[in-house]
Amino acid sequence: MDIVANTLLAAGASPAMIHSLAEIPDFTPQAQALCVNVGTLSPSWVPAMKSAAELMVKLGKPWVLDPVAAGASGFRLNACLALVGVKPTVIRGNGSEIIALSRASLVKGVDSAHGSMDALEAAKSLARASGSIVAVSGAVDVVTDGNRVVAAHNGVPMMQKITATGCAVTALIAAFVALDPSHPLEATASALSVFCIAGELGMDLAKGPASLRMHLIDSLYGLDEAALLSRVRITDL
Ligand SMILES: Nc1ncnc2c1ncn2[C@@H]1O[C@H](COP(=O)(O)OP(=O)(O)OP(=O)(O)O)[C@@H](O)[C@H]1O
Ligand SMILES: Cc1ncsc1CCO
Ligand SMILES: [Mg+2]
C-alpha cells in the first residue's frame, strides 16, 4: 500500500486506500477510477471489493484488477474469477497470474514463473472471455484487447526486486484510464511505459533495490515530456 499510494501521489493522482464495506457507498462515487488489489486478501475483504467494482460499473467509471498470486490458492483464484465477472476495464498481472486466470487453475505464488510472452495466448483469450484489456508485465509488457497486441519495452530487471512494483503500476494504470476512459488499451500501455521509464532513470542513481524504490518514485515525480519521448518504446506485436 505504501509504494502504491506514493507512486500515485508522485504521478499527480490522489489515492485513498479503502478496505471496509461500510465505506464503499460514500467513497466509491468520489473516485475517478478504482484499483482492486487482492495482494493481502482475507475473506472479509471480498464483499467490499465486489461491491466497489459493481458500483463503479453502475456509475460508468473504470476499474482495474490486480490478481496478485491468483493461482496460489483456490480461495484467491475463486475471488479473482468472481471479480473478473464484474467486468474490469483492465486486468494487469504477471505471466503466471494471467495464465492462472485464463485457465481457471492453480499456478504459482506472488512472483512470476512465466515470462510475459509465455502468457500472450492466455492474455488474449482472457481478454476475449472477459471483455477487459489484459496487460502482462515482465521484461516486455504486453497489452491486448484480445485482437490487437502492443508491447511496451521499457524498464529494468531490478524492478522485480522491489515488492509491489507490479501493484504500483496497476494503480498507475487506473489513474491513466481515469484520464482517458475511452482508450483503455493506450492508457494502459502508456502507464506501463511511464512507470518503466521512471525505473530506468531511477536505476541510473540506484545502488540496489531499496535505493531504486526511492529513485523510481523521485524520477516519476520529476519526469518531463522530453525524457519520456526520448525513451518510450511501444510497438505493435
Ligand atoms: N525483466 C524486466 N525488465 C524490465 N522491466 C521489468 C522486468 N520485470 C518486470 N519489469 C517491470 O517491473 C514492473 C513490475 O512487474 P512485475 O512483472 O515484476 O510485477 P508483479 O510480479 O506483479 O510484481 P509485484 O507482485 O511485486 O507487485 C512492471 O512495470 C514491469 O514492466
Ligand atoms: C509479497 C506480497 N504478498 C502479498 S501481496 C505482495 C506484494 C506483491 O504483490
Ligand atoms: Mg503482482
Side-chain angles (χ1 to χ4, degrees):
M1 275 197 282
D2 177 341
I3 189 172
V4 170
N6 283 309
T7 295
L8 288 170
L9 283 173
S14 176
M17 318 311 266
I18 304 297
H19 300 131
S20 171
L21 182 59
E23 289 190 300
I24 300 299
D26 289 339
F27 239 110
T28 309
Q30 299 180 46
Q32 287 172 271
L34 168 72
C35 178
V36 173
N37 183 306
V38 301
T40 54
L41 196 61
S42 69
S44 65
W45 288 8
V46 178
M49 291 172 167
K50 279 195 202 147
S51 163
E54 282 164 1
L55 190 45
M56 289 303 271
V57 170
K58 198 169 140 199
L59 294 166
K61 294 192 209 175
W63 81 275
V64 176
L65 175 64
D66 192 321
V68 180
S73 75
F75 165 61
R76 253 166 213 272
L77 184 62
N78 288 334
C80 288
L81 290 172
L83 287 162
V84 170
V86 191
K87 300 223 161 290
T89 315
V90 183
I91 303 167
R92 194 295 311 168
N94 62 40
S96 295
E97 290 158 352
I98 297 304
I99 289 169
L101 276 189
S102 182
R103 295 184 191 158
S105 66
L106 299 189
V107 177
K108 223 241 158 195
V110 168
D111 300 323
S112 191
H114 300 86
S116 52
M117 296 307 278
D118 301 336
L120 180 55
E121 288 311 313
K124 280 186 182 173
S125 87
L126 179 61
R128 285 194 209 108
S130 62
S132 306
I133 299 297
V134 175
V136 193
S137 56
V140 176
D141 299 316
V142 181
V143 187
T144 182
D145 60 8
N147 295 307
R148 192 176 162 202
V149 184
V150 301
H153 299 265
N154 293 100
V156 291
M158 183 77 81
M159 291 168 78
Q160 284 177 296
K161 294 291 179 198
I162 309 168
T163 197
T165 46
C167 307
V169 81
T170 305
L172 195 63
I173 289 168
F176 274 50
V177 175
L179 293 177
D180 197 0
S182 55
H183 298 102
L185 185 147
E186 289 83 351
T188 299
S190 301
L192 284 158
S193 299
V194 162
F195 188 72
C196 283
I197 290 167
E200 292 173 7
L201 295 167
M203 197 65 218
D204 290 342
L205 304 166
K207 294 189 181 132
S211 51
L212 177 57
R213 186 183 192 282
M214 176 179 79
H215 288 302
L216 188 159
I217 292 172
D218 283 355
S219 299
L220 182 62
Y221 177 77
L223 189 62
D224 62 21
E225 194 173 347
L228 179 65
L229 293 178
S230 71
R231 286 181 178 257
V232 67
R233 196 155 82 85
I234 298 174
T235 58
D236 279 300
L237 269 194

